[in-house]
Amino acid sequence: MVKTISLKKKLNQILLENKLLSEKDLKKALEIQKEKGGQLSKILVKYKMVSQKDLMVCLGEQLGIPPINLARYKIDPRIIKLVPERVARHYLVIPVSKIKNIVSVAMVDPLNIFALDDVKALTNAEVQTMLTTNDDILAAIEKYYGTGTPEMADIVKKAQKSTELETVEEVDITDVGELTKAGKEAPVIKLLNVIIDEALKNRASDIHLEPFVDRVRIRYRIDGVLHEFFNLPKKLQNVLLTRLKIMANLDITQRRIPQDGRFKVRTEEKEIDFRVSVLPTAFGSKVVLRALDKANLSIGLDRLGFLPGPLAAFKEAIAQPYGMILLTGPTGCGKSTTLYSILNQLNTPDKNLITIEDPVEYQVERITQIQANAEIGLTFASGLRSVLRQSPDIIMVGEIRDGETADIAIKAALTGELVFSTLHTNDAASAIIRLIDMGVEPFLIASSIVLIAAQRLCRRVCPNCKEPVNIPGEVLTKLGVQAAKGSKFYHGKGCAKCNQTGYRGRMGTLEVLVIDDKIREMIIQGTSSDQIKEYARSKGMKTLRENGLEKFIRGETSLEEILRMTAEG
């Protein structure tokens, strides 16, 4: 406390000695501070007792702290991440650079020891201060933490001015006509266009618009990982939501239940579908846009990044005239892209291809696609029964969720159809136990399934900033990595092209379990998934971890990425 008072006295003394502040104004400022709180420097500037520039120059000269013009300085995004947005806004501080163990920060009040202590703790480095004005640092915080670019900031300002609508609580009634009008105004349309355009430029698969008590956060999922890009004023929440609902043909008056829709965007190069999911939350509706690029379906299995061994087994299985092929893995692991790539390859004029999905992700020509809708009784099971009466050659069931669907799909595979579907299991062998748990007879599973593949997506090391990295020998030995002598391992150090992540793009990794006679016998006998897995490994099957490590040895990805995406065994 004593130290804080002495620092305040020092600030007052400097201003008085340089005749930048009168005793009368100082007394008034201290009274305001006592009554309302806040930093003295802010009060002096707010009530025009001292100009921002005079305050900065004076403090800089007297304290030996250099000034900085943030408007002329470009800060590395990696440096910005050293200090969270809430700390930057609270203390009006922004990190500018870091050299070895010294981080340089620009501040309005470099005498705020609480700010310095917090920054030191966050960065685990010594703090060197530089002076800036209140307006400059607020502009920098908006640029690097907020709306992101000058273009975006300008659009946000125009969008805010374009409507007088205020944010309302979810229980209130909003003037639907005014909302519709606001949702069709040019600034709001341009704002959403910029958000979508930035997502496409950054290769984002998803756009998250997330409402909070005082802002709307915009995050992009790039190569499977979410990154925060913008924070928009809370005032724009309703008009943005309305605009999206208009585009997706959703009910703008309904805000208490989830809604789903879709719309298309045309760029100079291609057409992209966006699947829209609206979910009511405590602070308004959260919206997630999933970008579905049909161009991904035409690249074929060979370009999905699978290793030659698993890929060959996969190709042999899909060449069978009938039977079931299952793809397993968590949400977002690329199962749909792989299945659609297969269907696209098998989509010839002499074949009748039918899918039943929830939702229909990609709309593909010459394939009959059915949208499951449990509310009207069109479930996977009931839809599949109808599909079988349509004389199909190839059937794709989006997901097997219950025993009835599994039973019908398996019986279809036994009676001449080639059936593709997905399950949520951690590895390939566990899919067998999952089907048995659903009530499917083991002999039906053994007779129908041709292949089960577990899939994951791992990020590729960015080719632009790829550099060798040393991995300790004991780490490689522990992981069972057997690399040739002199092998080099790589990681990405981060650059502008990969958004400082060190990764650019993703590739598939497969664990392929081919169902042979021995495994059929083990299924009928009720053998555990671990025993089936061990037998398959003895016959050459590589686990997800082993496939991933091979990609690491090849220099395609990093060790950290493989350990992040796969489990042991």
Side-chain angles (χ1 to χ4, degrees):
M1 181 63 73
V2 174
K3 189 175 181 182
T4 306
I5 293 172
S6 67
L7 287 169
K8 287 181 179 178
K9 284 184 176 178
K10 192 171 184 179
L11 174 61
N12 301 345
Q13 184 183 351
I14 293 168
L15 293 170
L16 290 171
E17 287 177 356
N18 284 271
K19 296 181 180 180
L20 294 172
L21 182 67
S22 67
E23 291 279 1
K24 181 181 177 181
D25 283 345
L26 176 58
K27 185 178 179 181
K28 182 180 178 182
L30 290 171
E31 287 173 357
I32 294 171
Q33 186 184 42
K34 187 177 180 180
E35 180 184 348
K36 298 183 178 180
Q39 295 179 351
L40 182 62
S41 58
K42 289 183 182 179
I43 294 169
L44 293 173
V45 172
K46 180 179 179 181
Y47 290 92
K48 298 186 179 351
M49 299 174 187
V50 178
S51 72
Q52 287 189 26
K53 186 176 179 181
D54 286 344
L55 183 66
M56 183 177 72
V57 171
C58 173
L59 287 174
E61 289 178 354
Q62 295 299 320
L63 301 178
I65 300 174
I68 182 172
N69 186 344
L70 289 172
R72 297 181 179 179
Y73 196 91
K74 187 174 181 180
I75 306 174
D76 190 319
R78 289 176 296 180
I79 300 299
I80 289 294
K81 290 178 182 178
L82 294 173
V83 177
E85 181 182 355
R86 58 180 177 79
V87 176
R89 291 188 184 277
H90 180 68
Y91 291 124
L92 290 184
V93 58
I94 194 165
V96 175
S97 66
K98 186 179 182 184
I99 300 174
K100 295 185 179 179
N101 198 42
I102 299 175
V103 60
S104 297
V105 297
M107 301 178 68
V108 173
D109 183 5
L111 305 179
N112 188 332
I113 59 169
F114 300 110
L116 296 174
D117 287 345
D118 278 1
V119 172
K120 184 176 180 179
L122 285 166
T123 60
N124 195 29
E126 294 301 316
V127 180
Q128 180 175 292
T129 58
M130 291 182 283
L131 273 169
T132 188
T133 65
N134 191 78
D135 288 348
D136 279 359
I137 202 161
L138 284 175
I141 288 172
E142 285 304 315
K143 178 180 179 181
Y144 292 105
Y145 293 105
T147 51
T149 64
E151 179 192 7
M152 176 67 88
D154 183 57
I155 293 168
V156 168
K157 284 180 183 177
K158 289 180 181 177
Q160 285 184 279
K161 290 177 182 177
S162 70
T163 175
E164 295 302 317
L165 288 173
E166 295 294 329
T167 303
V168 296
E169 298 296 326
E170 286 294 296
V171 294
D172 290 344
I173 298 174
T174 306
D175 188 324
V176 175
E178 287 297 315
L179 266 179
T180 305
K181 180 182 175 183
K184 293 180 178 179
E185 289 181 350
V188 177
I189 293 173
K190 190 172 183 182
L191 173 60
L192 190 56
N193 287 347
V194 170
I195 292 172
I196 292 173
D197 187 54
E198 283 295 310
L200 297 178
K201 284 179 182 176
N202 284 280
R203 304 174 295 103
S205 60
D206 301 86
I207 305 172
H208 290 240
L209 291 83
E210 302 166 312
F212 292 94
V213 67
D214 60 346
R215 62 195 170 103
V216 179
R217 179 173 69 176
I218 310 296
R219 292 194 292 172
Y220 297 150
R221 188 178 293 280
I222 302 169
D223 295 333
V225 178
L226 279 169
H227 300 272
E228 185 171 328
F229 271 70
F230 314 121
N231 281 287
L232 302 178
K234 183 73 172 177
K235 185 177 181 180
L236 297 177
Q237 177 178 316
N238 278 348
V239 290
L240 270 175
L241 175 62
T242 302
R243 176 61 190 163
L244 281 167
K245 284 187 173 182
I246 290 171
M247 292 172 69
N249 198 27
L250 299 176
D251 185 354
I252 67 170
T253 65
Q254 183 56 261
R255 295 181 298 164
R256 293 177 176 84
I257 61 172
Q259 295 186 71
D260 296 294
R262 62 194 309 146
F263 63 86
K264 291 182 181 180
V265 168
R266 287 186 178 87
T267 67
E268 293 180 0
E269 301 174 352
K270 52 192 172 184
E271 186 178 271
I272 295 172
D273 286 342
F274 277 93
R275 198 177 77 207
V276 182
S277 173
V278 181
L279 182 69
T281 71
F283 300 115
S285 294
K286 173 176 176 175
V287 185
V288 176
L289 310 179
R290 166 67 61 89
L292 303 169
D293 187 353
K294 291 181 183 178
N296 293 334
L297 308 183
S298 59
I299 63 175
L301 282 173
D302 292 322
R303 295 179 61 188
L304 292 179
F306 301 138
L307 291 172
L311 181 60
F314 211 67
K315 283 184 173 181
E316 186 176 342
I318 66 175
Q320 300 298 314
Y322 58 86
M324 175 177 276
I325 295 170
L326 287 174
L327 208 54
T328 78
T331 301
C333 72
K335 300 189 299 293
S336 294
T337 300
T338 300
L339 285 179
Y340 273 107
S341 296
I342 294 169
L343 292 180
N344 205 48
Q345 184 174 318
L346 299 175
N347 187 10
T348 56
D350 62 323
K351 294 283 198 314
N352 180 17
L353 278 72
I354 305 179
T355 74
I356 178 163
E357 308 164 65
D358 184 21
V360 174
E361 294 199 14
Y362 297 95
Q363 294 172 341
V364 185
E365 290 184 8
R366 301 197 311 273
I367 295 180
T368 303
Q369 296 174 273
I370 303 167
Q371 169 72 56
N373 188 343
E375 292 181 4
I376 61 172
L378 182 54
T379 62
F380 278 112
S382 63
L384 192 51
R385 286 194 186 93
S386 298
V387 165
L388 292 175
R389 292 193 285 271
Q390 293 284 317
S391 182
D393 296 297
I394 298 168
I395 301 170
M396 194 265 273
V397 182
E399 182 184 345
I400 293 178
R401 299 175 180 173
D402 54 64
E404 186 180 11
T405 305
D407 186 64
I408 299 169
I410 282 175
K411 286 176 180 175
L414 288 171
T415 55
E417 282 81 30
L418 185 60
V419 181
F420 297 92
S421 192
T422 69
L423 276 175
H424 286 281
T425 61
N426 291 327
D427 60 13
S430 296
I432 296 166
I433 306 303
R434 178 82 178 98
L435 290 171
I436 293 172
D437 289 342
M438 286 181 178
V440 182
E441 292 291 342
F443 75 90
L444 290 176
I445 298 171
S447 303
S448 61
I449 297 181
V450 175
L451 176 145
I452 305 172
Q455 179 169 317
R456 297 293 186 277
L457 291 176
C458 59
R459 293 179 292 175
R460 295 179 186 272
V461 171
C462 175
N464 190 60
C465 61
K466 186 176 183 178
E467 65 178 12
V469 62
N470 291 321
I471 306 293
E474 56 269 25
V475 172
L476 297 175
T477 301
K478 185 177 179 180
L479 292 170
V481 175
Q482 297 179 348
K485 189 176 181 180
S487 295
K488 288 186 177 181
F489 307 112
Y490 296 90
H491 75 155
K493 65 179 180 179
C495 65
K497 288 190 176 180
C498 64
N499 200 31
Q500 308 301 329
T501 63
Y503 300 97
R504 186 174 174 85
R506 290 191 290 175
M507 55 186 167
T509 300
L510 282 180
E511 173 184 296
V512 176
L513 176 66
V514 178
I515 309 299
D516 62 14
D517 290 339
K518 176 63 178 177
I519 292 179
R520 291 190 180 95
E521 184 181 328
M522 294 171 81
I523 293 171
I524 294 170
Q525 291 174 351
T527 307
S528 71
S529 60
D530 287 341
Q531 289 176 296
I532 292 174
K533 188 173 185 176
E534 283 305 310
Y535 165 77
R537 291 182 70 183
S538 71
K539 291 295 183 179
M541 184 191 84
K542 291 188 176 181
T543 64
L544 284 166
R545 171 65 63 85
E546 290 167 342
N547 272 277
L549 289 174
E550 187 168 337
K551 289 177 180 290
F552 161 65
I553 293 171
R554 289 172 169 230
E556 297 173 1
T557 188
S558 69
L559 183 59
E560 292 84 1
E561 178 67 3
I562 296 306
L563 297 180
R564 182 181 74 89
M565 290 301 300
T566 63
E568 288 187 37

